[in-house]
Amino acid sequence: MTRILAPARRPVGDLLREWRQRRRLSQLDFALDVDISQKHLSFIESGRSAPSRDMVLRLAERLDVPLRVRNLMLLAAGYAPVFPELPLDDPALAAARAAIDMVLAGHEPLPALAVDRRWTMLAANAAVPRLIGAIPDATLLRPPVNVLRLSLHPGGLAPRILNLGAWRAHLLDRLRREVDASADPHLVALLEELRAYPAGPSEDVGPAEDPSGLFVPLRLLTPAGPLSLFSTTTVFGTPTEITLSEIAIEAFFPADETTAKRLRQLADPQAPADPTP
């Protein structure tokens, strides 16, 4: 069972020790990494020494702690939080939101969407609705839309995913690693929910579907025919604001020329149909 950081105030030493262990670092290795003595680190973790504000930030940065948790660590140590959290429609984030919209629009006719740390869809380009199409359970499309739930729920895209077993395993593994990295209790609950959904066959991806063996494709049945897609993830570099630090853009690309043609056909129904079955 994955350990979860409790929201209640805890000593900063406990938080630092837990995140150090989460990163699988010994006290000695971590002390060497941050250039302090193991004894000093031990005193901080045990509460015998109170770290300075700069020390808390230094240790949290080396542990790659999420910005919102760094604020909790500062509070636990008696300092004010330093990382703001703004709504995405705040004027201060206008440039960032414009950049997201530009990336999404520029990716058309290929699908791309922006998600937050809990996989809630924040924005999507015009290709995403065409890719989703009609689904059995329309409630899955009511905001806030969780894209992992939409993908794997039997009332969502799952019946049309031709390699559901492999794609499900890929998404669950990715989510598990995010749980390990963030300790977010909402992601823990989402992971348990998704694991309870029906699984497809585990042997449903073969060489013919991914000759390169470089990635797990999403093989999705659409009105234009089956698509084979792979995805990339883009995040903001060196963010100092919580909302931006937790946004990712998921962009999908055709894994073969047939898929590229069918995506163009979905975007333009008047285009000649691809005869490939």
Side-chain angles (χ1 to χ4, degrees), residues 205-215 217 219 228 255-256:
V205 170
E209 298 177 45
D210 177 22
S212 69
L214 297 178
F215 49 77
R219 300 197 67 248
S228 184
D256 52 52

PDB file of all heavy atoms in Angstrom, residues 205-215 217 219 228 255-256:
ATOM      1  N   VAL A 205      -1.045  -6.897 -28.129  1.00  0.00           N
ATOM      2  CA  VAL A 205      -0.160  -6.057 -28.929  1.00  0.00           C
ATOM      3  C   VAL A 205       0.950  -6.940 -29.457  1.00  0.00           C
ATOM      4  O   VAL A 205       1.642  -7.605 -28.691  1.00  0.00           O
ATOM      5  CB  VAL A 205       0.440  -4.904 -28.106  1.00  0.00           C
ATOM      6  CG1 VAL A 205       1.535  -4.213 -28.892  1.00  0.00           C
ATOM      7  CG2 VAL A 205      -0.647  -3.896 -27.768  1.00  0.00           C
ATOM      8  N   GLY A 206       1.093  -6.960 -30.768  1.00  0.00           N
ATOM      9  CA  GLY A 206       2.130  -7.792 -31.360  1.00  0.00           C
ATOM     10  C   GLY A 206       3.018  -6.994 -32.269  1.00  0.00           C
ATOM     11  O   GLY A 206       2.841  -5.793 -32.451  1.00  0.00           O
ATOM     12  N   PRO A 207       3.994  -7.644 -32.880  1.00  0.00           N
ATOM     13  CA  PRO A 207       4.933  -6.941 -33.763  1.00  0.00           C
ATOM     14  C   PRO A 207       4.252  -6.188 -34.890  1.00  0.00           C
ATOM     15  O   PRO A 207       4.707  -5.129 -35.297  1.00  0.00           O
ATOM     16  CB  PRO A 207       5.830  -8.068 -34.288  1.00  0.00           C
ATOM     17  CG  PRO A 207       5.710  -9.155 -33.264  1.00  0.00           C
ATOM     18  CD  PRO A 207       4.312  -9.055 -32.736  1.00  0.00           C
ATOM     19  N   ALA A 208       3.133  -6.709 -35.401  1.00  0.00           N
ATOM     20  CA  ALA A 208       2.471  -6.042 -36.515  1.00  0.00           C
ATOM     21  C   ALA A 208       1.916  -4.682 -36.109  1.00  0.00           C
ATOM     22  O   ALA A 208       1.738  -3.806 -36.942  1.00  0.00           O
ATOM     23  CB  ALA A 208       1.334  -6.925 -37.049  1.00  0.00           C
ATOM     24  N   GLU A 209       1.629  -4.505 -34.799  1.00  0.00           N
ATOM     25  CA  GLU A 209       1.068  -3.247 -34.355  1.00  0.00           C
ATOM     26  C   GLU A 209       2.144  -2.246 -33.983  1.00  0.00           C
ATOM     27  O   GLU A 209       1.934  -1.050 -34.025  1.00  0.00           O
ATOM     28  CB  GLU A 209       0.153  -3.491 -33.159  1.00  0.00           C
ATOM     29  CG  GLU A 209      -1.026  -4.387 -33.511  1.00  0.00           C
ATOM     30  CD  GLU A 209      -1.876  -4.658 -32.296  1.00  0.00           C
ATOM     31  OE1 GLU A 209      -2.150  -3.708 -31.553  1.00  0.00           O
ATOM     32  OE2 GLU A 209      -2.265  -5.809 -32.090  1.00  0.00           O
ATOM     33  N   ASP A 210       3.297  -2.702 -33.572  1.00  0.00           N
ATOM     34  CA  ASP A 210       4.392  -1.799 -33.220  1.00  0.00           C
ATOM     35  C   ASP A 210       5.710  -2.466 -33.638  1.00  0.00           C
ATOM     36  O   ASP A 210       6.411  -3.036 -32.813  1.00  0.00           O
ATOM     37  CB  ASP A 210       4.391  -1.503 -31.718  1.00  0.00           C
ATOM     38  CG  ASP A 210       5.572  -0.618 -31.329  1.00  0.00           C
ATOM     39  OD1 ASP A 210       6.102   0.069 -32.221  1.00  0.00           O
ATOM     40  OD2 ASP A 210       5.964  -0.632 -30.159  1.00  0.00           O
ATOM     41  N   PRO A 211       6.013  -2.424 -34.918  1.00  0.00           N
ATOM     42  CA  PRO A 211       7.220  -3.091 -35.397  1.00  0.00           C
ATOM     43  C   PRO A 211       8.491  -2.586 -34.721  1.00  0.00           C
ATOM     44  O   PRO A 211       9.450  -3.333 -34.555  1.00  0.00           O
ATOM     45  CB  PRO A 211       7.223  -2.766 -36.896  1.00  0.00           C
ATOM     46  CG  PRO A 211       5.818  -2.413 -37.227  1.00  0.00           C
ATOM     47  CD  PRO A 211       5.277  -1.761 -35.991  1.00  0.00           C
ATOM     48  N   SER A 212       8.518  -1.315 -34.325  1.00  0.00           N
ATOM     49  CA  SER A 212       9.741  -0.762 -33.741  1.00  0.00           C
ATOM     50  C   SER A 212       9.960  -1.247 -32.324  1.00  0.00           C
ATOM     51  O   SER A 212      11.098  -1.333 -31.856  1.00  0.00           O
ATOM     52  CB  SER A 212       9.666   0.774 -33.733  1.00  0.00           C
ATOM     53  OG  SER A 212       8.688   1.217 -32.819  1.00  0.00           O
ATOM     54  N   GLY A 213       8.869  -1.551 -31.617  1.00  0.00           N
ATOM     55  CA  GLY A 213       8.990  -1.950 -30.223  1.00  0.00           C
ATOM     56  C   GLY A 213       9.422  -0.816 -29.317  1.00  0.00           C
ATOM     57  O   GLY A 213       9.859  -1.039 -28.194  1.00  0.00           O
ATOM     58  N   LEU A 214       9.284   0.445 -29.786  1.00  0.00           N
ATOM     59  CA  LEU A 214       9.778   1.583 -29.028  1.00  0.00           C
ATOM     60  C   LEU A 214       8.739   2.174 -28.083  1.00  0.00           C
ATOM     61  O   LEU A 214       9.094   2.925 -27.178  1.00  0.00           O
ATOM     62  CB  LEU A 214      10.261   2.675 -29.992  1.00  0.00           C
ATOM     63  CG  LEU A 214      11.442   2.294 -30.894  1.00  0.00           C
ATOM     64  CD1 LEU A 214      11.775   3.449 -31.823  1.00  0.00           C
ATOM     65  CD2 LEU A 214      12.650   1.898 -30.063  1.00  0.00           C
ATOM     66  N   PHE A 215       7.476   1.891 -28.293  1.00  0.00           N
ATOM     67  CA  PHE A 215       6.440   2.474 -27.457  1.00  0.00           C
ATOM     68  C   PHE A 215       5.205   1.596 -27.477  1.00  0.00           C
ATOM     69  O   PHE A 215       5.058   0.710 -28.334  1.00  0.00           O
ATOM     70  CB  PHE A 215       6.083   3.892 -27.921  1.00  0.00           C
ATOM     71  CG  PHE A 215       5.817   3.999 -29.406  1.00  0.00           C
ATOM     72  CD1 PHE A 215       4.626   3.562 -29.956  1.00  0.00           C
ATOM     73  CD2 PHE A 215       6.777   4.534 -30.254  1.00  0.00           C
ATOM     74  CE1 PHE A 215       4.389   3.654 -31.317  1.00  0.00           C
ATOM     75  CE2 PHE A 215       6.560   4.634 -31.618  1.00  0.00           C
ATOM     76  CZ  PHE A 215       5.350   4.189 -32.145  1.00  0.00           C
ATOM     77  N   PRO A 217       1.515   1.678 -28.357  1.00  0.00           N
ATOM     78  CA  PRO A 217       0.591   2.550 -29.080  1.00  0.00           C
ATOM     79  C   PRO A 217      -0.812   2.473 -28.494  1.00  0.00           C
ATOM     80  O   PRO A 217      -1.189   1.491 -27.851  1.00  0.00           O
ATOM     81  CB  PRO A 217       0.614   1.968 -30.494  1.00  0.00           C
ATOM     82  CG  PRO A 217       0.851   0.498 -30.262  1.00  0.00           C
ATOM     83  CD  PRO A 217       1.739   0.403 -29.057  1.00  0.00           C
ATOM     84  N   ARG A 219      -4.305   1.971 -29.838  1.00  0.00           N
ATOM     85  CA  ARG A 219      -4.987   1.534 -31.065  1.00  0.00           C
ATOM     86  C   ARG A 219      -6.476   1.703 -30.851  1.00  0.00           C
ATOM     87  O   ARG A 219      -7.095   0.964 -30.091  1.00  0.00           O
ATOM     88  CB  ARG A 219      -4.621   0.097 -31.418  1.00  0.00           C
ATOM     89  CG  ARG A 219      -3.126  -0.114 -31.665  1.00  0.00           C
ATOM     90  CD  ARG A 219      -2.852  -1.427 -32.398  1.00  0.00           C
ATOM     91  NE  ARG A 219      -3.368  -1.413 -33.756  1.00  0.00           N
ATOM     92  CZ  ARG A 219      -4.385  -2.162 -34.179  1.00  0.00           C
ATOM     93  NH1 ARG A 219      -4.998  -2.969 -33.357  1.00  0.00           N
ATOM     94  NH2 ARG A 219      -4.793  -2.094 -35.438  1.00  0.00           N
ATOM     95  N   SER A 228      -3.521   4.132 -34.892  1.00  0.00           N
ATOM     96  CA  SER A 228      -2.416   3.732 -34.013  1.00  0.00           C
ATOM     97  C   SER A 228      -1.643   4.998 -33.662  1.00  0.00           C
ATOM     98  O   SER A 228      -1.061   5.640 -34.534  1.00  0.00           O
ATOM     99  CB  SER A 228      -1.501   2.720 -34.715  1.00  0.00           C
ATOM    100  OG  SER A 228      -0.498   2.259 -33.838  1.00  0.00           O
ATOM    101  N   ALA A 255       1.345   6.700 -35.475  1.00  0.00           N
ATOM    102  CA  ALA A 255       2.425   5.721 -35.450  1.00  0.00           C
ATOM    103  C   ALA A 255       2.705   5.148 -36.828  1.00  0.00           C
ATOM    104  O   ALA A 255       3.694   4.431 -37.015  1.00  0.00           O
ATOM    105  CB  ALA A 255       2.095   4.585 -34.470  1.00  0.00           C
ATOM    106  N   ASP A 256       1.858   5.476 -37.803  1.00  0.00           N
ATOM    107  CA  ASP A 256       2.072   4.988 -39.168  1.00  0.00           C
ATOM    108  C   ASP A 256       1.365   5.934 -40.132  1.00  0.00           C
ATOM    109  O   ASP A 256       0.568   6.784 -39.737  1.00  0.00           O
ATOM    110  CB  ASP A 256       1.569   3.548 -39.330  1.00  0.00           C
ATOM    111  CG  ASP A 256       0.136   3.367 -38.859  1.00  0.00           C
ATOM    112  OD1 ASP A 256      -0.734   4.142 -39.303  1.00  0.00           O
ATOM    113  OD2 ASP A 256      -0.115   2.467 -38.039  1.00  0.00           O
TER     114      ASP A 256
END
